Amino acid sequence: GHLDSYQSGANQLRKAFSSGLSSGNANAAFYCAGHGTHFSTISAETDLPSLLLQIDYYLRLLEIYKSEMAKKFFLCYRETVSTLIDRGQSTGIEAKLSYGDASDPGIGNKLLEVFYFHQVFRNYWLGYSERCHHYVQKCFDISKPGHFFIYVIKFYHGL
């Protein structure tokens, strides 16, 4: 179906993560891991408990590699997956990406776009349509036309 390319991409990006780490290029490895996690999340390529374990693995590695920016992205994905599993009741962790972290003017809008995207995604699947639409508008306000997130956000906005 329509999600096959995302599911295939997620698998290839996990392979690229392993390749990047084994060749000593941690930045490229975590870049691939982040996109693979995104593709897995939106396409249901991996069951959520397995995806949560995978994200936790990345977060442990990020402690070793001291990549705070990548860690922020993965914390956002982790919170989304945890929320979808059990609303974070037993799968949540203390570390989370806050609006304050995401809106730091020194890092640009990319992290804030991801933060808003995940708010849209979570709130849609939890059935909070007003909150979902609120974050859709926030995302529209800062995102550039043609950006991938905008197309996914438009999809959720139209539902």
Side-chain angles (χ1 to χ4, degrees):
H2 296 298
L3 297 176
D4 290 345
S5 60
Y6 288 107
Q7 293 171 345
S8 175
N11 188 40
Q12 293 301 318
L13 286 161
R14 276 193 299 279
K15 290 177 184 176
F17 165 77
S18 296
S19 178
L21 269 191
S22 65
S23 68
N25 191 342
N27 288 335
F30 287 112
Y31 183 81
C32 291
H35 283 285
T37 301
H38 177 72
F39 285 6
S40 289
T41 304
I42 64 171
S43 72
E45 181 264 343
T46 303
D47 65 281
L48 293 175
S50 296
L51 185 57
L52 191 65
L53 290 172
Q54 188 177 344
I55 293 168
D56 285 342
Y57 169 70
Y58 294 144
L59 286 168
R60 283 191 304 277
L61 286 176
L62 285 165
E63 291 295 323
I64 295 167
Y65 285 92
K66 308 281 188 230
S67 180
E68 287 301 312
M69 182 56 72
K71 181 180 176 183
K72 290 177 181 182
F73 283 94
F74 281 102
L75 285 173
C76 195
Y77 282 103
R78 193 195 189 288
E79 186 173 357
T80 295
V81 173
S82 174
T83 299
L84 295 175
I85 291 172
D86 65 1
R87 296 182 184 233
Q89 293 298 313
S90 64
T91 58
I93 60 173
E94 191 174 316
K96 296 187 181 346
L97 177 68
S98 71
Y99 172 79
D101 293 333
S103 61
D104 179 352
I107 59 173
N109 281 344
K110 185 65 182 156
L111 189 56
L112 191 56
E113 285 178 1
V114 170
F115 178 81
Y116 287 150
F117 172 83
H118 281 270
Q119 293 295 332
V120 169
F121 195 78
R122 287 179 209 144
N123 286 298
Y124 173 80
W125 287 108
L126 292 174
Y128 301 136
S129 61
E130 285 184 33
R131 274 195 234 165
C132 177
H133 286 272
H134 169 78
Y135 285 108
V136 162
Q137 190 55 54
K138 294 254 187 210
C139 202
F140 284 158
D141 290 346
I142 65 165
S143 295
K144 296 179 178 125
H147 191 272
F148 172 73
F149 281 148
I150 287 296
Y151 295 110
V152 177
I153 295 294
K154 284 182 180 180
F155 171 76
Y156 282 106
H157 188 257
L159 293 176

